[in-house]
Amino acid sequence: MPEGRGSRIDSDRLRAAADLLDQAAAADDKAAGRFAEARVDSTPFGISAQARELAARWSAALAAREADARVLGDATSDLAGRLRMTAESTRSTGFRGRIAVAP
């Protein structure tokens, strides 16, 4: 393989992976928005104490899922950014080793 060609392919793969992670982050943000929307649109479906308790639990569960989706989206977006930075650094330095990503 000619010098530099391997790093070009690796850089392209890293950028492609970063693009896919951006798509996943956008899906996470969309899901978070839907959880938030569902929480706002949810109204207690009865006047009994049991109905209010159920509605409160449902709202809390939706809020927790919204928070989880936002955290996951942020982490995914951060990882995409790190991959892009790595793609640029491998291109400029010709690095051809393995790249480790911490969880």
Side-chain angles (χ1 to χ4, degrees):
M1 185 176 299
E3 183 62 36
R5 187 166 184 261
S7 64
R8 168 72 181 171
I9 292 170
D10 293 339
S11 294
D12 290 343
R13 282 183 170 172
L14 289 172
R15 275 193 292 287
D19 290 343
L20 291 173
L21 286 171
D22 283 338
Q23 291 174 15
D28 292 334
D29 288 341
K30 186 175 181 179
R34 287 189 174 170
F35 286 127
E37 194 176 288
R39 192 164 38 98
V40 170
D41 290 344
S42 295
T43 56
F45 43 85
I47 57 171
S48 72
Q50 291 170 330
R52 286 192 303 273
E53 174 66 23
L54 182 59
R57 287 182 184 204
W58 179 249
S59 181
L62 288 171
R65 298 297 74 77
E66 176 189 356
D68 290 345
R70 291 199 190 284
V71 167
L72 181 60
D74 289 346
T76 303
S77 182
D78 289 347
L79 181 58
R82 288 191 295 183
L83 282 177
R84 280 200 178 77
M85 288 186 336
T86 302
E88 287 307 311
S89 70
T90 60
R91 174 183 254 180
S92 64
T93 64
F95 175 76
R96 294 176 62 182
R98 296 189 70 146
I99 298 168
V101 178

